[in-house]
Amino acid sequence: MAQKSWKCTEAKNINYRLEKTGISKYDDLDFLKGEIIAYYDVEGNFVAKDSGEVTQYRKSFGKNPETGLFLVVDFYINTNNVQAILEIEKPYLFKGLSDGKNLVQFYENGNIKINQVLNENKKVIEAKNYDYFGNLKSISTYENKKLVNIRYIEE
């Protein structure tokens, strides 16, 4: 198996390394900034901060005036590590896909879990799936929200 090349950025508010996404506006975020806008349970439902059911929280980093999309980051509640970075029209919506071009999800260790890229008409999605250690495991292609191809990566 090929050795993984680590390109990491030091997370600005936590003591672990977050794998670089290759998307500068994601990689350059200062996670100490932003405003907490919602708390979610394991199913992605809104819950009160003190409910005892919170598994993740979301911070908003503002609205892009050109696209009309909000840049949001989801964090694991127990560790404050980044869970996902995405751009979305409705920043409180937890379930569903990004409205922007990219959605990147992370494992709690900072490695990328899923990196989805939408084409310009937002109908074709390429999703790269990684294992916990950062190794590419599969590449899936979706058209109109239906899986049309999946390629597994041999070790």
Side-chain angles (χ1 to χ4, degrees), residues 1 10 12 24 49 86 90 94 97 121:
M1 173 170 43
E10 194 68 37
K12 294 178 175 67
S24 62
K49 177 182 179 180
L86 64 150
K90 299 175 185 172
F94 189 77
L97 293 174
N121 64 13

Side-chain angles (χ1 to χ4, degrees), residues 45-108:
N45 301 308
F46 288 108
V47 293
K49 177 182 179 180
D50 58 358
S51 69
E53 298 177 11
V54 177
T55 59
Q56 298 172 60
Y57 64 94
R58 174 169 284 174
K59 279 187 168 184
S60 174
F61 289 83
K63 186 176 184 178
N64 182 328
E66 293 176 14
T67 64
L69 301 176
F70 289 86
L71 178 59
V72 297
V73 178
D74 296 331
F75 296 86
Y76 293 103
I77 195 76
N78 291 331
T79 60
N80 291 318
N81 293 350
V82 174
Q83 189 273 333
I85 304 173
L86 64 150
E87 294 173 87
I88 194 162
E89 186 178 338
K90 299 175 185 172
Y92 296 97
L93 180 66
F94 189 77
K95 299 176 182 179
L97 293 174
S98 170
D99 293 318
K101 188 172 171 93
N102 300 90
L103 163 67
V104 183
Q105 292 182 324
F106 298 87
Y107 290 103
E108 283 196 74

Side-chain angles (χ1 to χ4, degrees), residues 4-12 16-22 27-28 106 109-112 133:
K4 179 154 179 72
S5 169
W6 289 100
K7 296 178 185 173
C8 298
T9 184
E10 194 68 37
K12 294 178 175 67
Y16 83 114
R17 297 173 70 79
L18 187 66
E19 186 176 353
K20 283 198 178 243
T21 65
D27 293 337
D28 296 338
F106 298 87
N109 67 1
N111 287 340
I112 293 175
F133 303 102

